[in-house]
Amino acid sequence: MNIYQDYIQEIEERKNQGLNPKPIDGAELLSEIIAQIKDSGNINRADSLTFFIYNTLPGTTSAAGVKAKFLKEIILGESVIEEISPAYAFELLSHMKGGPSIEVLLDLALGNNISIAKEAANVLKTQVFLYEADTNRLKEAFNSGNEIAKEIIESYAKAEFFTKLPEAPEEIKVVTFIAGEGDISTDLLSPGNQAHSRSDRELHGQCMITPQAQKEIKELQAQYPDASVMLIAEKGTMGVGSSRMSGVNNVALWTGKQASPYIPFVNIAPIVGGTNGISPIFLTTVDVTGGIGLDLKNWVKKLDENGQPIRNEAGEPILEEAYSVATGTVLTINTKTKKLYNGDQELIDISKAFTPQKVEFIKAGGSYAIVFGKKLQTFAAKLLGIETPLVFAPSKEISHEGQGLTAVEKIFNRNAVGSTPGKVLHAGSDVRVEVNIVGSQDTTGLMTSQELESMAATVISPIVDGAYQSGCHTASVWDKKAQANIPKLMKFMNDFGLITARDPKGEYHAMTDVIHKVLNDITIDEWAIIIGGDSHTRMSKGVAFGADSGTVALALATGEASMPIPESVKVTFKGNMKEHMDFRDVVHATQSQMLKQFGGENVFQGRIIEVHIGTLPADQAFTFTDWTAEMKAKASINISEDNTLIESLEIAKGRIQIMINKGMDNKNQVLQGLIDKANKRIAEIQSGEKPALTPDANAKYYAEVVIDLDIIVEPMIADPDVNNDDVSKRYTHDTIRTLSYYGGEKKVDLGFVGSCMVHKGDLKIVSQMLRNIEKQKGKVEFNAPLVVAAPTYNIIDELKAEGDWELLEKYSGFEFDDNAPKGEARVEYKNMMYLERPGCNLCMGNQEKAAKGDTVLATSTRLFQGRVVEDSERKKGESLLASTPVVVLSAIIGRIPNIDEYKAAVEGIDLTKFAPPIKELVQVGH
């Protein structure tokens, strides 16, 4: 059977799932299809034409290379195909988005046939995805006096690829669809347990929300054919939890418009809304597709005659509906007045969604085209020796004379490109910045590789210090889906220039370490900017932003990212930490105390948390920065004392050396380069030449939060509050309760110590508690299963060397075996301890899960519905989040302990301690 027949068989199988043919990305299949097109009598010719024209992926896929070459043959008259004229061939090339298509267009534009050259030039003037190899060819031809090259470059300098596009429509009609009440996690739009299908966009689209919701969206579209369906989070925030490009892709697939008639299942321009707006990282993803995200503010606090919020019995502000967005409501977005209307009635100002930059994204069909367009215009103007014409909206530059800089403002100013020289920029300024470290994770990586192909990138930007492709989200279950996807991903990323968790050649042992932990180690400068394909890309050094797979691709390809400088909230600490408390309790208390201090307003949302942690090394401090994703912050920055930072950098150097020893460095010696940079940074700190980063004493913050350690007297638990009468209050991370709230009675069905929130000290706490209980009772018995997953292999190696792993092995009923990884996910557990492979495990939701309806107590970060545990018919599943000692004790006794049981169990145990810095961590005199 030939490859074409295999494809036909796959099409038949997909038909049974209600799916269309899978888009073609392979050269071998497309070559066979082209051979059938050339054979006028071939029985498969008509189908082959359809596949060639409408079902071939663009960019740098091997299929795109074959397609571009065949279209060139048609244009040159070397092949004559009745259905594809030379003019149509040019049109098809214009939709191929770079890579081989640009190479072909340049061949034609710089060739000897003038009429063909002019046609090719006209197409090239519309293209923006050009790389150095392409611009170098144009530059060479221009310098040789080629008139066509000059014409193209002059067009680029005027940015005609942008100016000649149609303007964004003045009025956009929408019909509302309430996707859910309360915060909507991106898990609802693209469930983690369906991660394997993300790169197959049509198949993955079937998992959005529910089949019933999909049916209702279709019905609304049929009823209102001239309106776009707007998905809404009623009484909540849209897109919390992660950026999830696949979530935006799914929304666009169901409610957006097709990007090109020749590219299947790539839709753009989705419109989403939320009572409390859109989660910042999700909004970035919406921008990638030229979509619109609205902060609806349709529920507001009820005020008394003095303008103070009226509160209910629970002390929470009472909300009243300002206007209805019930499903089926027809509204109008006006992009000129920047207002939302119901008929003639003005509802709300939505100017935040229509900044000049966002309007450009809408016009261009997404933010990538603008990023590449600006670079292309700059190149052309420089080549022509002219000032870059002002076409794009100038970046907003805000500078307050005499005002100092926060830590994030300092970092952005140092890394800014294309801003006014010598100008000091403050929060609110739009900035293009160079990116130092980039991370791609394994369940979004396939989409990142697709994005790189679609933007015609073939090699990592030379200005990126280091980039890593993880294997942690698919670590625990090496099933057929993982076996099919992950090796392919690792090869692509390895070839592209990333350090990869798995070696495509199989020469070093797979490292399934949690991506955030690896990025935390390879970030060797607290002035760094990090972009990663996961919402928990939040480092304890530098400032890190979780991003969608597309923004990660852009950072890898260009070494840049664009965003406004966020406002910061300063967090400091006072008092002393109680002996029986763990630092995780401080993290939860920060959220709780902040909400109390600001009357229920989350001042962290969408802002940078600048936490003056000072004395806590990177591994432990990471627990705080990691949780800031749950605080809905855009990112966070740790302010460290000099000695603490040096200690963290020394630890990082050791971890990077382990990776080098394993054979993970590449021909560019990226990892060795990071060690060299770390040594340089340490020397700068020790000499006093450049101390650890601190904000200026006169920096301005949106708010300042002081956390009182003295009032944290009990372990703090984040509760999903699954039975709250107010649906919008369920599954947020804002319900923080003390241990005594549960009265020592709440049954626990499963405990989980793992995910990125734990460090080596947590695993030592597990062994110390087992040792304590062994002494007290002779042996340890579990009344609920305990799953333990170290975040990294080096932690296990260190625990083995220090004698802790032996004790863990003694009490485990299961220990992972890298030579025989599990092929199936576990959803039922016996009352024993499971030592699982390093990686995300239960926190991810695409592999291991708890039994439906279980109550899980975890050290993880995710308490969303269905993530760690699904509902059963008898009861709702719930995932409560707590410190390691609370989780371990709960698994042993089978319930949440009371405070006396807890204190007895942790006596003498070395918990993660924190003492605030003695002196204020600020820079005076700037």
Side-chain angles (χ1 to χ4, degrees):
M1 189 179 279
N2 64 23
I3 194 165
Y4 180 78
Q5 290 307 319
D6 290 343
Y7 185 54
I8 296 302
Q9 187 177 323
E10 182 193 68
I11 288 170
E12 288 305 312
E13 289 165 4
R14 286 174 73 87
K15 261 187 200 169
N16 296 332
Q17 297 173 266
L19 299 171
N20 289 285
K22 198 171 181 180
I24 297 163
D25 61 3
E28 196 181 344
L29 172 58
L30 200 67
S31 296
E32 202 168 307
I33 283 169
I34 289 168
Q36 290 174 173
I37 291 170
K38 288 180 175 180
D39 176 6
S40 58
N42 194 293
I43 57 166
N44 298 315
R45 188 172 181 278
D47 285 345
S48 294
L49 270 164
T50 300
F51 294 144
F52 176 81
I53 295 169
Y54 297 106
N55 211 46
T56 304
L57 288 177
T60 55
T61 63
S62 59
V66 173
K67 182 171 182 174
K69 189 179 166 199
F70 183 43
L71 292 171
K72 183 183 178 184
E73 284 177 23
I74 292 170
I75 289 163
L76 293 173
E78 294 165 6
S79 288
V80 178
I81 305 297
E82 187 187 340
E83 296 86 350
I84 306 175
S85 65
Y88 191 30
F90 271 123
E91 185 185 341
L92 292 174
L93 280 169
S94 76
H95 285 257
M96 288 182 65
K97 295 181 74 174
S101 62
I102 298 293
E103 191 181 341
V104 162
L105 287 165
L106 284 168
D107 289 346
L108 298 170
L110 304 177
N112 297 323
N113 186 314
I114 294 300
S115 65
I116 286 177
K118 282 187 177 296
E119 284 187 78
N122 287 337
V123 175
L124 271 170
K125 289 173 192 175
T126 67
Q127 304 296 297
V128 291
F129 292 103
L130 276 72
Y131 287 86
E132 209 171 336
D134 306 315
T135 52
N136 280 347
R137 285 184 71 185
L138 277 172
K139 185 178 179 179
E140 204 176 301
F142 173 79
N143 289 336
S144 303
N146 185 297
E147 283 300 315
I148 296 285
K150 184 180 178 219
E151 191 185 309
I152 294 166
I153 287 161
E154 285 173 346
S155 174
Y156 287 160
K158 294 176 199 161
E160 289 181 338
F161 47 75
F162 176 73
T163 59
K164 292 193 172 180
L165 293 172
E167 294 299 322
E170 183 172 343
E171 287 193 344
I172 300 168
K173 191 173 171 184
V174 296
V175 57
T176 60
F177 177 78
I178 294 184
E181 201 171 323
D183 287 352
I184 289 184
S185 156
T186 44
D187 260 15
L188 185 75
L189 309 174
S190 165
N193 60 9
Q194 298 299 311
H196 62 90
S197 67
R198 285 176 184 166
S199 56
D200 184 345
R201 291 193 183 203
E202 187 191 16
L203 173 60
H204 193 68
Q206 294 191 329
C207 71
M208 188 182 85
I209 315 179
T210 61
Q212 179 60 30
Q214 294 163 19
K215 180 170 171 280
E216 287 174 29
I217 289 168
K218 275 188 165 177
E219 286 168 357
L220 283 171
Q221 287 167 332
Q223 197 177 344
Y224 302 97
D226 58 339
S228 295
V229 175
M230 174 166 68
L231 257 57
I232 291 174
E234 176 78 313
K235 290 190 183 175
T237 304
M238 173 64 83
V240 300
S242 66
S243 49
R244 200 65 62 89
M245 187 82 210
S246 53
V248 171
N249 286 345
N250 279 354
V251 177
L253 192 67
W254 285 98
T255 68
K257 58 187 181 188
Q258 196 173 356
S260 160
Y262 309 115
I263 305 173
F265 311 116
V266 176
N267 281 18
I268 58 171
I271 301 173
V272 291
T275 293
N276 301 329
I278 318 296
S279 171
I281 51 175
F282 192 63
L283 189 54
T284 303
T285 319
V286 172
D287 288 343
V288 166
T289 60
I292 299 169
L294 299 184
D295 186 354
L296 295 171
K297 298 177 185 166
N298 59 308
W299 286 86
V300 294
K301 289 176 186 172
K302 193 173 183 180
L303 305 177
D304 62 20
E305 63 274 10
N306 300 316
Q308 294 302 308
I310 299 171
R311 299 179 182 276
N312 61 18
E313 289 173 1
E316 293 168 342
I318 295 171
L319 299 178
E320 55 186 358
E321 193 175 50
Y323 62 94
S324 173
V325 292
T327 293
T329 306
V330 177
L331 304 172
T332 305
I333 293 168
N334 190 301
T335 62
K336 294 288 186 287
T337 64
K338 300 178 183 178
K339 302 277 172 64
L340 182 66
Y341 298 90
N342 186 333
D344 295 330
Q345 185 193 355
E346 181 187 313
L347 299 177
I348 192 170
D349 179 276
I350 50 173
S351 51
K352 269 192 179 176
F354 294 100
T355 63
Q357 285 75 19
K358 286 181 184 286
V359 171
E360 287 175 347
F361 298 160
I362 294 166
K363 177 176 173 174
S367 55
Y368 296 166
I370 298 297
V371 173
F372 276 85
K374 285 179 178 177
K375 289 190 81 153
L376 195 55
Q377 188 196 21
T378 304
F379 151 78
K382 191 176 175 185
L383 187 56
L384 292 170
I386 62 170
E387 191 111 343
T388 306
L390 192 59
V391 170
F392 297 101
S395 292
K396 187 170 27 168
E397 294 190 339
I398 296 170
S399 188
H400 303 293
E401 185 125 5
Q403 182 179 306
L405 297 172
T406 65
V408 76
E409 287 169 340
K410 285 189 174 184
I411 292 174
F412 270 68
N413 275 279
R414 192 190 83 162
N415 291 284
V417 289
S419 55
T420 305
K423 193 166 189 179
V424 175
L425 301 175
H426 286 95
S429 301
D430 294 310
V431 190
R432 266 170 62 211
V433 286
E434 289 189 357
V435 174
N436 307 91
I437 301 289
V438 185
S440 170
Q441 55 104 320
D442 40 327
T443 50
T444 61
L446 285 165
M447 291 166 61
T448 299
S449 63
Q450 280 185 337
E451 297 286 350
L452 287 166
E453 286 177 331
S454 75
M455 61 176 75
T458 54
V459 67
I460 191 169
S461 167
I463 65 173
V464 173
D465 289 338
Y468 178 70
Q469 171 61 60
S470 80
C472 55
H473 290 72
T474 52
S476 52
V477 186
W478 192 236
D479 57 15
K480 286 180 180 170
K481 291 163 187 169
Q483 290 166 35
N485 289 331
I486 301 306
K488 185 168 70 172
L489 170 64
M490 294 295 164
K491 180 174 189 324
F492 180 95
M493 291 302 191
N494 205 282
D495 290 346
F496 199 83
L498 281 75
I499 303 299
T500 50
R502 294 175 180 273
D503 184 11
K505 303 179 192 77
E507 288 173 9
Y508 59 78
H509 192 279
M511 183 167 86
T512 56
D513 292 2
V514 175
I515 181 171
H516 326 300
K517 291 293 192 187
V518 179
L519 293 181
N520 200 38
D521 288 332
I522 69 172
T523 301
I524 41 68
D525 185 357
E526 81 281 21
W527 290 80
I529 291 178
I530 305 102
I531 296 287
D534 194 287
S535 58
H536 285 97
T537 306
R538 285 149 195 272
M539 305 301 102
S540 55
K541 301 182 290 292
V543 62
F545 297 94
D548 59 275
S549 51
T551 302
V552 171
L554 203 59
L556 289 170
T558 67
E560 289 184 12
S562 297
M563 65 185 94
I565 303 178
E567 293 175 304
S568 294
V569 175
K570 183 178 182 180
V571 175
T572 54
F573 303 86
K574 69 176 183 179
N576 296 295
M577 196 169 160
K578 302 287 179 283
E579 271 306 303
H580 60 283
M581 291 287 92
D582 183 81
F583 184 64
R584 176 73 185 248
D585 300 313
V586 175
V587 173
H588 286 185
T590 298
Q591 184 135 337
S592 179
Q593 289 190 27
M594 175 274 295
L595 289 168
K596 281 185 184 135
Q597 283 174 39
F598 291 90
E601 182 198 349
N602 183 353
V603 296
F604 292 152
Q605 184 162 347
R607 299 184 178 92
I608 303 285
I609 299 177
E610 184 182 285
V611 53
H612 289 233
I613 221 151
T615 56
L616 215 51
D619 282 3
Q620 292 87 333
F622 184 75
T623 307
F624 191 103
T625 48
D626 203 23
W627 182 260
T628 59
E630 272 45 75
M631 294 172 180
K632 297 184 186 173
K634 191 167 179 65
S636 69
I637 291 183
N638 273 345
I639 306 301
S640 275
E641 292 180 339
D642 287 355
N643 291 339
T644 307
L645 181 56
I646 290 170
E647 181 188 345
S648 295
L649 289 171
E650 290 290 358
I651 292 166
K653 278 169 53 187
R655 305 252 174 88
I656 297 167
Q657 189 60 53
I658 290 168
M659 293 168 77
I660 293 172
N661 296 346
K662 285 184 72 164
M664 294 176 73
D665 214 348
N666 59 17
K667 63 181 182 199
N668 295 331
Q669 291 198 299
V670 164
L671 294 175
Q672 184 56 52
L674 292 172
I675 289 181
D676 296 342
K677 287 182 176 80
N679 283 329
K680 181 173 180 287
R681 185 70 195 103
I682 289 167
E684 288 172 345
I685 299 167
Q686 287 173 332
S687 69
E689 177 193 340
K690 190 178 174 187
L693 168 69
T694 52
D696 291 331
N698 59 339
K700 189 177 178 189
Y701 296 91
Y702 176 81
E704 297 192 28
V705 180
V706 181
I707 302 306
D708 188 351
L709 300 175
D710 287 332
I711 62 173
I712 308 169
V713 295
E714 287 189 60
M716 310 290 281
I717 294 175
D719 193 319
D721 205 8
V722 298
N723 296 310
N724 194 313
D725 291 339
D726 185 344
V727 178
S728 71
K729 295 286 194 294
R730 299 176 193 170
Y731 305 106
T732 74
H733 287 78
D734 292 344
T735 305
I736 309 289
R737 289 173 168 152
T738 59
L739 193 72
S740 55
Y741 172 87
Y742 302 96
E745 294 176 358
K746 189 172 179 70
K747 184 175 181 290
V748 170
D749 300 300
L750 179 70
F752 171 49
V753 173
S755 90
C756 46
M757 287 293 282
V758 297
H759 53 86
K760 178 184 166 186
D762 288 283
L763 277 293
K764 288 186 83 71
I765 288 169
V766 178
S767 67
Q768 288 169 345
M769 289 187 75
L770 294 175
R771 203 172 273 120
N772 264 12
I773 289 162
E774 190 178 53
K775 275 181 192 168
Q776 292 165 13
K777 301 190 176 177
K779 65 173 181 175
V780 180
E781 287 184 354
F782 290 91
N783 280 290
L786 178 65
V787 175
V788 177
T792 62
Y793 280 98
N794 64 277
I795 285 175
I796 294 174
D797 291 340
E798 289 168 27
L799 292 173
K800 283 177 178 176
E802 293 164 20
D804 294 277
W805 193 256
E806 195 179 336
L807 188 70
L808 296 177
E809 285 178 313
K810 175 182 173 182
Y811 282 107
S812 71
F814 168 87
E815 184 178 354
F816 73 94
D817 178 356
D818 274 331
N819 297 315
K822 294 197 298 292
E824 283 183 32
R826 184 184 278 122
V827 289
E828 289 183 0
Y829 302 80
K830 295 174 182 170
N831 287 353
M832 63 186 195
M833 184 162 68
Y834 295 78
L835 292 180
E836 294 286 358
R837 196 180 199 182
C840 303
N841 204 273
L842 281 162
C843 186
M844 180 49 205
N846 71 320
Q847 298 202 314
E848 307 285 75
K849 251 188 167 47
K852 288 181 179 180
D854 270 2
T855 293
V856 182
L857 199 63
T859 60
S860 137
T861 57
R862 297 304 201 211
L863 49 67
F864 301 122
Q865 187 172 19
R867 180 66 175 250
V868 170
V869 55
E870 291 174 357
D871 298 341
S872 72
E873 287 177 13
R874 62 183 176 85
K875 74 181 277 283
K876 290 180 180 292
E878 50 186 337
S879 172
L880 292 87
L881 310 177
S883 68
T884 295
V886 172
V887 172
V888 174
L889 183 57
S890 298
I892 289 168
I893 64 177
R895 56 179 170 77
I896 293 178
N898 63 41
I899 188 66
D900 293 331
E901 290 169 323
Y902 169 80
K903 280 183 176 177
V906 297
E907 198 169 336
I909 287 179
D910 186 17
L911 302 176
T912 305
K913 290 291 168 212
F914 170 61
I918 294 166
K919 64 174 186 177
E920 198 181 354
L921 297 174
V922 293
Q923 186 175 356
V924 182
H926 285 265

